[in-house]
Amino acid sequence: MTEITLYNTRTRSKEPFVPIDPKNVRMYVCGPTVYDRAHIGNARPVVVFDVLYRLLRHVYGEGAVTYVRNVTDVDDKINARAAAEKRPIRELTDETLAAYHADMDALGALRPTHEPRATEYIGPMVAMIEALIARGNAYVAEGHVLFAVGSFPAYGRFANRSLDEMQAGARVEVAPYKRDPMDFVLWKPSSSAEPGWPSPWGHGRPGWHIECSAMSEALLGASFDIHGGGIDLVFPHHENEIAQSMCAHPEGEFARVWLHNGFLNVEGEKMSKSLGNFFTVRDLLDKGIPGEVIRFVLLSTHYRQPMDWREDKVRLAMKMLASWFRMTAGVQPNNYGLFSVVPDLANDLNTPEAIKNLNELADQGEAEQLKAALDLLGLSPSNEWYQENEWEKGRDGLMVSLFWSGHVDPELQDAVWNVAFRWANLRKLKDYERADALRSLADEAGVDLRASADSDADAEIRLSNDYSKLRLLQ
């Protein structure tokens, strides 16, 4: 059997993965808070842990792996948006969850075995809080129930932070009813306008951290194999999960192995709406970037490292995948190809090295083996976009590069090229006013024209999926 080695955040070292029960391998990953579309940073852990899920199923068998990814559908951000839009909370969360599923499906992510919604596990949360109070690890104050961090001597050890660092990082509410500023909320009161449930402490709702502890226990038990999420969750979320779970079930281990993926930046900068570099998965899909290309880019950097989303990475991914998909179209997979990528994945999910080996299989013309390796990585074509690409075309001393042709009708393809060459020529003549006007018209027609900064082309074309106005440019 393949030996898997994973970097454990708890021990800060790579360790051989030894499941508690090889016939029942259990993994929990923190999932979405469903108040808005998932941005590209949200997609990274989904893709990373999907690869791990696929690897575990390959090694231990599909029926031997249980994957739980929760859905947080009770949260102040949800309440605020529902109130602002004057919509029922359940309507908003159902709609957002459906959009999340559609976006993650487009990235080739398998659905988890279980996807529990927090609102459906209020009972187990209340029961765990009651147990913590009974054990002296939590207390009631002014309608709130708070976890007493002083009752868990190991608090802070997981995140490896000092008290000052934890206080700064937690951004905890300073409330007079807290015994210690670091104490965190397990239950809080709800107003008549907020969602709430009956409890021994009054009408209220759970804090964020207790959700994952209660749902993981209910579906995986007091001890399970792997807990995953983004590096931003190490503290306070995962630190708090450990504290409350270990105190509620001191006989258990909670999670043995903790995995965390690194942050995602865009063109070297932190992604933020204020910088104008914030985009959702749906934004990328609507611009004509196939889900498998997004997935490839996310896997091209090792999961523990910060990754930089860049246009040149997207272009390279499209060209490589188009070539590989053309090679493997209609080919039956030969599982010998798995020998080229499984050792890399088993070595702490080294997807960049696995991608190098995919390229070697392609260079060697091993289409059947390449197909099997692509399937294991979840890199299968969602449609036949890869058959339609004309990557570059020259005319009148100009060179235009096509980013993705999508499914443009053949009679309209010439119109796209003509617009791009007209725009490139206007820029060459420094007639920027007319060039900008043409670009605006093209944008309305679903054609994104941009100057090429990373190739010898004078212009690049990137197409959306809506070409209803394209004929206006002819």
Side-chain angles (χ1 to χ4, degrees), residues 4-9 11 13-17 52 55-56 226 257-259 303-304 345-349:
I4 298 174
T5 302
L6 299 172
Y7 183 87
N8 190 348
T9 305
T11 61
S13 63
K14 287 174 64 173
E15 304 169 350
F17 173 64
L52 178 56
L55 175 65
L56 294 171
I226 298 171
V257 180
W258 290 79
L259 273 69
Y303 79 94
R304 285 196 286 116
L345 300 183
N347 180 18
D348 196 30
L349 300 183

Side-chain angles (χ1 to χ4, degrees), residues 51 61 83 114 126 167 220 248 279 309 313 401 462:
V51 171
H114 303 288
V126 169
Q167 288 177 337
L220 301 176
F279 47 85
W309 180 275
K313 288 184 178 181
S401 174
R462 181 161 63 180

Side-chain angles (χ1 to χ4, degrees), residues 307-318:
M307 84 155 292
D308 193 20
W309 180 275
R310 299 200 313 265
E311 292 288 350
D312 61 321
K313 288 184 178 181
V314 176
R315 281 196 300 276
L316 177 62
M318 295 197 75

Side-chain angles (χ1 to χ4, degrees), residues 22-34:
K23 296 181 181 179
N24 183 23
V25 182
R26 288 160 287 172
M27 177 171 71
Y28 185 95
V29 176
C30 291
T33 299
V34 284

Side-chain angles (χ1 to χ4, degrees), residues 199-270:
S199 80
W201 321 287
H203 182 74
R205 60 194 190 277
W208 174 36
H209 312 298
I210 196 67
E211 297 176 14
C212 289
S213 287
M215 289 188 283
S216 63
E217 180 203 346
L219 294 169
L220 301 176
S223 302
F224 56 94
D225 297 296
I226 298 171
H227 195 314
I231 193 68
D232 57 311
L233 298 181
V234 170
F235 187 85
H237 186 49
H238 289 166
E239 187 77 58
N240 292 352
E241 275 191 66
I242 291 170
Q244 62 201 12
S245 293
M246 293 299 294
C247 288
H249 295 284
E251 77 286 357
E253 298 179 80
F254 194 37
R256 279 190 172 184
V257 180
W258 290 79
L259 273 69
H260 294 91
N261 62 273
F263 289 112
L264 182 142
N265 296 319
V266 176
E267 302 289 349
E269 294 184 299
K270 183 178 179 180

Side-chain angles (χ1 to χ4, degrees), residues 38 42 54 62 69 74 94 106 176 178 332 339 345 368 444:
N42 299 143
R54 291 169 181 269
E62 290 187 12
R69 185 180 66 210
V74 51
D94 283 351
K178 286 187 176 185
Q332 292 299 311
F339 290 111
L345 300 183
E368 295 85 358
E444 291 180 11

Side-chain angles (χ1 to χ4, degrees), residues 257-427:
V257 180
W258 290 79
L259 273 69
H260 294 91
N261 62 273
F263 289 112
L264 182 142
N265 296 319
V266 176
E267 302 289 349
E269 294 184 299
K270 183 178 179 180
M271 184 171 64
S272 70
K273 292 181 180 179
S274 63
L275 292 175
N277 64 355
F278 181 95
F279 47 85
T280 66
V281 173
R282 179 51 51 183
D283 290 335
L284 296 175
L285 294 171
D286 287 346
K287 283 183 175 292
I289 303 176
E292 52 270 33
V293 172
I294 300 171
R295 183 184 182 94
F296 183 101
V297 175
L298 292 173
L299 295 178
S300 63
T301 300
H302 191 274
Y303 79 94
R304 285 196 286 116
Q305 301 301 317
M307 84 155 292
D308 193 20
W309 180 275
R310 299 200 313 265
E311 292 288 350
D312 61 321
K313 288 184 178 181
V314 176
R315 281 196 300 276
L316 177 62
M318 295 197 75
K319 291 186 178 182
M320 292 180 74
L321 285 177
S323 173
W324 295 349
F325 290 162
R326 285 194 291 267
M327 178 184 295
T328 57
V331 168
Q332 292 299 311
N334 180 335
N335 285 338
Y336 280 107
L338 300 182
F339 290 111
S340 295
V341 294
V342 167
D344 297 318
L345 300 183
N347 180 18
D348 196 30
L349 300 183
N350 193 341
T351 52
E353 197 62 33
I355 289 172
K356 288 182 182 178
N357 285 322
L358 291 177
N359 206 33
E360 289 183 8
L361 289 174
D363 288 345
Q364 295 163 6
E366 299 287 356
E368 295 85 358
Q369 294 188 34
L370 177 60
K371 173 63 175 172
L374 286 168
D375 288 348
L376 180 61
L377 282 165
L379 292 169
S380 300
S382 52
N383 52 52
E384 295 187 349
W385 62 269
Y386 57 92
Q387 299 285 14
E388 302 179 8
N389 288 287
E390 291 183 72
W391 295 107
E392 289 186 335
K393 183 179 287 188
R395 183 191 300 169
D396 301 328
L398 299 169
M399 181 66 69
V400 169
S401 174
L402 180 64
F403 191 66
W404 181 43
S405 66
H407 291 286
V408 188
D409 293 336
E411 72 249 33
L412 297 181
Q413 290 187 15
D414 284 343
V416 174
W417 288 109
N418 289 338
V419 168
F421 280 114
R422 283 165 54 197
W423 181 70
N425 189 55
L426 287 170
R427 285 179 54 82

